[in-house]
Amino acid sequence: GESVGLHLPTLSVQEGDNSIINCAYSNSASDYFIWYKQESGKGPQFIIDIRSNMDKRQGQRVTVLLNKTVKHLSLQIAATQPGDSAVYFCAESRSNAGNMLTFGGGTRLMVKP
Amino acid sequence: DTGVSQDPRHKITKRGQNVTFRCDPISEHNRLYWYRQTLGQGPEFLTYFQNEAQLEKSRLLSDRFSAERPKGSFSTLEIQRTEQGDSAMYLCASSFPGPYEQYFGPGTRLTVT
């Protein structure tokens, strides 16, 4: 069935290092992808998005890469800070399905000082 | 604060009672989405509106769940005859129509005893 999954449930990095969080999706009709950060007890917070006609998009300290050939998405966080500690979700949507988001299970990022 | 707001933030109810949650979206957004999130999982889509029209409701978990957005502004989600399995975080998000980021509210945490 359709799914958006994550390769690693927990990622532990040293402060200042770069972090890479990976995500796989299975629906080739997906045309919009988005990363969210969620801290305990809060709603998901938008980080960055990418449309299927792009393969890379950069934000402040974050980069999203999209490989449509292997249906893979990644989030790179540069110079990871303690405030980046949270659960990260990737999500996909399709314009012909109301753009409702299908989320993966999440990766917990732990930043060691 | 011009973000998405939800009320109440926490609700404890006894099994069999009805509960209603409210969501106030970002005022410029005409799309409003409801999701449910259980512990350790990503949000799961329930239903969405464009203005006052409910365009997808087949993902509502049972006929005990219903949602409204009567004037195309705020929305309510009602759960009738609550069960312990309904305990979860209920999230609301809003966006412009199409492949645009959805902004989430802080959620309503429901506990059914």
Side-chain angles (χ1 to χ4, degrees):
Chain A
E2 302 165 5
S3 67
V4 175
L6 295 172
H7 297 310
L8 297 174
T10 303
L11 177 64
S12 183
V13 301
Q14 202 72 36
E15 180 179 0
D17 287 351
N18 297 335
S19 304
I20 299 176
I21 302 173
N22 295 303
C23 178
Y25 66 96
S26 60
N27 194 324
S28 58
S30 298
D31 57 11
Y32 179 68
F33 305 87
I34 191 165
W35 283 98
Y36 285 95
K37 171 186 179 183
Q38 188 172 28
E39 296 172 297
S40 182
K42 297 183 178 180
Q45 176 188 351
F46 169 79
I47 301 173
I48 192 168
D49 60 358
I50 188 167
R51 288 170 172 72
S52 58
N53 61 351
M54 304 171 69
D55 53 22
K56 180 179 181 179
R57 190 161 189 230
Q58 290 184 290
Q60 187 176 13
R61 283 203 306 119
V62 294
T63 301
V64 55
L65 299 178
L66 175 63
N67 185 330
K68 294 180 287 294
T69 302
V70 295
K71 298 189 182 68
H72 184 266
L73 192 68
S74 68
L75 176 70
Q76 301 177 4
I77 304 173
T80 314
Q81 301 169 0
D84 295 326
S85 295
V87 176
Y88 289 79
F89 293 98
C90 67
E92 59 94 5
S93 73
R94 288 165 285 142
S95 296
N96 65 0
N99 299 108
M100 56 189 178
L101 296 173
T102 300
F103 284 82
T107 292
R108 179 172 298 281
L109 177 65
M110 300 174 62
V111 182
K112 297 176 288 186
Chain B
D1 187 352
T2 57
V4 178
S5 61
Q6 293 187 245
D7 183 71
R9 294 291 308 278
H10 304 273
K11 178 69 176 179
I12 300 174
T13 191
K14 293 185 178 180
R15 188 174 51 192
Q17 298 296 303
N18 299 343
V19 294
T20 300
F21 310 140
R22 176 179 171 127
C23 171
D24 286 88
I26 294 171
S27 58
E28 298 84 7
H29 291 169
N30 51 14
R31 284 254 178 112
L32 186 150
Y33 298 82
W34 284 99
Y35 294 84
R36 185 180 82 153
Q37 186 176 26
T38 54
L39 197 61
Q41 302 296 315
E44 174 188 14
F45 170 79
L46 296 177
T47 188
Y48 86 100
F49 296 84
Q50 180 155 317
N51 300 313
E52 66 276 8
Q54 190 174 13
L55 299 185
E56 173 60 61
K57 56 182 179 180
S58 66
R59 304 285 188 96
L60 287 168
L61 300 166
S62 78
D63 58 6
R64 297 184 296 106
F65 287 70
S66 63
E68 293 184 340
R69 195 183 184 197
K71 297 182 180 179
S73 55
F74 73 91
S75 176
T76 57
L77 178 69
E78 181 182 18
I79 308 174
Q80 296 182 329
R81 305 181 303 282
T82 52
E83 301 173 356
Q84 286 189 319
D86 296 333
S87 295
M89 175 79 86
Y90 290 85
L91 293 161
C92 174
S94 71
S95 76
F96 294 110
Y100 297 99
E101 61 269 29
Q102 294 181 22
Y103 290 94
F104 282 82
T108 294
R109 180 163 294 285
L110 173 66
T111 302
V112 181
T113 61

